[in-house]
Amino acid sequence: MVTVTTDTTGSAAEWVRCPGCGEILYAPRFERMHKVCAGCGRHARMSAAERVELLFDPGVRELPSPPTIADPLGFTDRVPYARRLRDAAAKTGRDEAVVCVRGTIEGFPLVAAVMDFEFMGGSLGSAVGERIAAAAEESLRARVPLLLVTASGGARMQEGALSLMQMVKTSQALGMLDEAGIATIALITDPTYGGVAASFATLPDVLLAEPGAHIGFAGPRVIEQTIGQRLPEGFQTAEFLLGKGLLDAVVPRAALRSTLGRMLALLRTGPRAVPDPEARAEVVRDPGRLPVREGIAAVRLARHTGRPSARDYAATMLEEFRELRGDRLAADCPAILGGIGRLGGRPVMLIAHDKGRGTADRVRRNFGMPSPAGYRKAARLMRLAAKLGVPVVTLIDTPGAHPGVEAEENGQAWAIAENLRLMSRLPVPIVAVVTGEGGSGGALALGVADRVLILANGVYSVISPEGCAAILWKGQDPASVARAAAELRLDARELLAHGVVDGVVPEPGAGAHTDPPATVGRVRAAVAEALDELAGLDRAELVAGRRGRFRRYGADGPVAHEETGRLDGRDIPRGAGHGIA
């Protein structure tokens, strides 16, 4: 922002000009709006002190700064490095480019490291790296989340290779918190580049960014000079990177404090939910209690467009649901909805196939057929659930994985296979519910669970009836499709009889489409009951039981029992544990 001073009333009145839209803004109002332009919404840079005041409750305590070598190389460019440090301190009132504090946001305790771009461009040197590491250690000691507010041009050249080593030091510190199950959040502000972006800024569990923030490893000028091309509009902005699956959300400055408060509430470790004996779920476990029906009738009902969508379940089955986006690699698949919320006070990670609502939304979400990015996003959220010790709830409703050329080029089979392996060893309870159509491996990639339930009109099959008919009967006429649906035994009664599912949740009226709120309520009760049943099992029991479940399918004889470690009287070799990579 450019300061403009006028004198029209005998006293100096300060105004600022927004470099984004050119509008002249009254400085006091601009400050009250937390340095956001009223004309174009451009977020100007803030100091570390302003950030702390914006985000934290009163009573913040600054952490002591660990000792470091001030000028390890005796570096001089136009002026000595020591002088640059003194000048930066005089300009900012700080002794370094980061301030580390303990405090609360909306009552939830945390440790934070807040960077200041005004201090030598927020560059990463030994002192910054040491303070970030010390803040992580304080977070571990107090067992409270760590918040990193980043603003940096990169590593500090005046410290040579020592500044480069801070990338490892800070990354190790984040890894230490991962191992301890301590939640981490980054708030990425403009700009965040170089060594900071390639270390502690992008490693936390949840990545938030301010609107318009520029984030990347190499700066745009360097990229354009290297490749000799003009960069696309909006390249490296937070909004651009959100679409590429690299961020969870872009949050306006005015909403940051409340967003962080809600996130901290969901990520905190709290008491285990107490089962409500009065709220028993209605789940059918005896196939004899279910009517015999035509498979094709179940297929039609499972595909009914009026059934509750993934977002209906997220909004009404959970309290305080917060969506988390992106696979942290290339994209954010809209056919997978994921995020954290509370079910009866219990934190859960929800991952669901999202078919969408209405024709345009369904087309945008590929009718619930995920891409590899969708399965990788699901895997990322499962790993986060494992880190935090949070149960996973999956809602299955897909014709199958997306069959496009791009999906195959990006490793669709690899992504599905990785989910099957990951879910098999995930050390937290997993409850899966087939809420509509469970199609092929695209459904199974969310279906490796301790408890598998299905709505009464749901279906689950190795292939769609249409696909089966086309392959085996060389046609897709109604008679062939109906015959395939019957032969596949894909309805809830048959699935329960074969032990593919553990229970069937009855649907209200003529089906879920006739009363979506009641359907969501029944699924909620069934999931809560299943989580209550699993709550008493330790991680080894969960993993052993889950592996044993799937090991038994189709077997006609003795199978390995991980609980006993024996097969036909012989010892079974065991691995060292169930770590999640």
Side-chain angles (χ1 to χ4, degrees):
M1 291 290 175
V2 179
T3 301
V4 180
T5 303
T6 61
D7 187 4
T8 58
T9 61
S11 61
E14 286 196 345
W15 300 77
V16 293
R17 179 184 291 115
C18 174
C21 65
E23 185 166 337
I24 304 299
L25 308 168
Y26 184 51
R29 182 170 184 267
F30 178 62
E31 293 292 334
R32 287 196 301 272
M33 295 183 65
H34 308 299
K35 295 188 173 181
V36 177
C37 175
C40 66
R42 186 178 189 274
H43 286 50
R45 292 169 186 162
M46 300 181 80
S47 69
E50 290 170 327
R51 290 277 179 196
V52 171
E53 183 179 4
L54 170 70
L55 299 175
F56 278 79
D57 302 332
V60 175
R61 175 172 65 85
E62 186 169 347
L63 299 178
S65 301
T68 53
I69 302 172
D71 185 8
L73 306 183
F75 192 99
T76 299
D77 48 274
R78 293 191 303 273
V79 298
Y81 176 41
R83 178 177 168 185
R84 288 197 180 279
L85 291 173
R86 289 195 299 271
D87 291 346
K91 179 182 179 181
T92 63
R94 308 292 321 175
D95 65 344
E96 254 304 341
V98 67
V99 57
C100 299
V101 299
R102 280 233 22 207
T104 61
I105 295 179
E106 295 197 337
F108 298 106
L110 75 160
V111 172
V114 184
M115 301 191 73
D116 195 328
F117 190 79
E118 289 301 307
F119 193 105
M120 294 191 66
S123 50
L124 174 61
S126 298
V128 172
E130 187 65 20
R131 293 181 190 192
I132 296 288
E137 290 162 358
E138 175 67 11
S139 173
L140 177 62
R141 186 196 65 77
R143 298 204 65 81
V144 297
L146 175 67
L147 170 66
L148 299 164
V149 183
T150 65
S152 176
R156 192 170 294 178
M157 293 178 289
Q158 292 86 347
E159 295 189 19
L162 290 175
S163 65
L164 193 65
M165 298 304 112
Q166 305 309 309
M167 295 172 63
V168 181
K169 176 189 292 185
T170 55
S171 298
Q172 286 180 167
L174 271 290
M176 175 185 67
L177 296 181
D178 289 338
E179 293 164 6
I182 305 297
T184 53
I185 305 173
L187 169 56
I188 305 175
T189 74
D190 185 63
T192 296
Y193 278 114
V196 170
S199 59
F200 62 89
T202 51
L203 288 177
D205 304 317
V206 177
L207 300 183
L208 309 177
E210 285 193 325
H214 288 80
I215 310 157
F217 184 59
R221 188 182 310 164
V222 172
I223 296 172
E224 287 187 337
Q225 290 174 349
T226 302
I227 65 175
Q229 296 178 9
R230 289 284 297 172
L231 297 176
E233 188 71 24
F235 183 73
Q236 289 188 322
T237 63
E239 293 78 5
F240 177 85
L241 296 173
L242 180 67
K244 296 297 182 181
L246 297 172
L247 299 173
D248 287 296
V250 176
V251 184
R253 192 168 288 168
L256 280 173
R257 178 176 156 81
S258 60
T259 298
L260 287 169
R262 289 195 300 271
M263 190 60 67
L264 290 167
L266 292 170
L267 296 175
R268 76 184 192 278
T269 302
R272 180 178 293 165
V274 178
D276 181 359
E278 301 299 322
R280 302 302 297 170
E282 185 181 356
V283 179
V284 178
R285 305 187 190 280
D286 177 6
R289 291 181 52 200
L290 298 171
V292 177
R293 62 191 311 187
E294 290 184 339
I296 194 63
V299 170
R300 294 190 185 108
L301 285 171
R303 294 174 177 173
H304 198 290
T305 58
R307 295 177 75 84
S309 71
R311 293 182 183 273
D312 293 328
Y313 284 104
T316 57
M317 188 170 86
L318 301 181
E319 308 99 36
E320 307 173 62
F321 176 74
R322 181 75 192 186
E323 184 177 2
L324 301 175
R325 293 177 57 179
D327 67 347
R328 295 289 190 272
L329 181 65
D332 178 48
C333 174
I336 292 286
L337 171 69
I340 193 165
R342 290 187 177 273
L343 180 64
R346 174 196 286 111
V348 299
M349 185 68 73
L350 178 71
I351 304 170
H353 292 107
D354 191 356
K355 284 186 172 179
R357 307 185 187 101
T359 302
D361 194 34
R362 284 174 174 263
V363 170
R364 188 175 75 85
R365 300 183 189 281
N366 287 323
F367 297 91
M369 294 185 289
S371 67
Y375 293 116
R376 291 178 181 129
K377 172 167 67 172
R380 176 177 81 84
L381 298 183
M382 290 176 198
R383 291 188 182 98
L384 176 56
K387 169 184 169 175
L388 300 175
V390 171
V392 173
V393 175
T394 67
L395 304 179
I396 297 168
D397 187 14
T398 181
H402 186 59
V405 172
E406 186 177 356
E408 293 299 320
E409 290 176 340
N410 286 298
Q412 186 74 285
W414 283 260
I416 291 172
E418 177 55 32
N419 274 25
L420 302 182
R421 178 170 62 180
L422 174 64
M423 295 186 79
S424 293
R425 59 183 175 153
L426 208 70
V428 294
I430 307 175
V431 176
V433 185
V434 181
T435 59
E437 187 176 11
S440 188
L444 187 61
L446 298 188
V448 184
D450 305 295
R451 298 288 185 274
V452 181
L453 306 173
I454 188 169
L455 278 168
N457 293 320
V459 296
Y460 202 180
S461 177
V462 65
I463 192 172
S464 70
E466 293 83 359
C468 179
I471 294 169
L472 298 182
W473 286 282
K474 311 303 181 186
Q476 290 189 345
D477 58 279
S480 296
V481 172
R483 180 181 176 187
E487 294 292 340
L488 286 167
R489 305 288 194 269
L490 45 60
D491 64 280
R493 186 181 190 275
E494 292 285 353
L495 293 166
L496 183 60
H498 285 90
V500 174
V501 301
D502 299 297
V504 177
V505 181
E507 298 185 20
H513 60 284
T514 64
D515 194 345
T519 303
V520 173
R522 294 184 182 193
V523 170
R524 184 184 190 278
V527 170
E529 182 177 84
L531 289 174
D532 290 340
E533 293 171 358
L534 298 168
L537 301 179
D538 63 29
R539 57 182 289 169
E541 291 173 313
L542 285 167
V543 172
R546 196 180 309 139
R547 286 176 171 169
R549 173 199 186 102
F550 288 88
R551 178 66 179 84
R552 288 188 291 272
Y553 286 126
D556 186 18
V559 296
H561 294 285
E562 192 169 336
E563 299 88 338
T564 63
R566 302 183 69 78
L567 171 61
D568 292 339
R570 291 176 284 111
D571 289 337
I572 303 169
R574 289 174 175 269
H578 303 301
I580 301 300

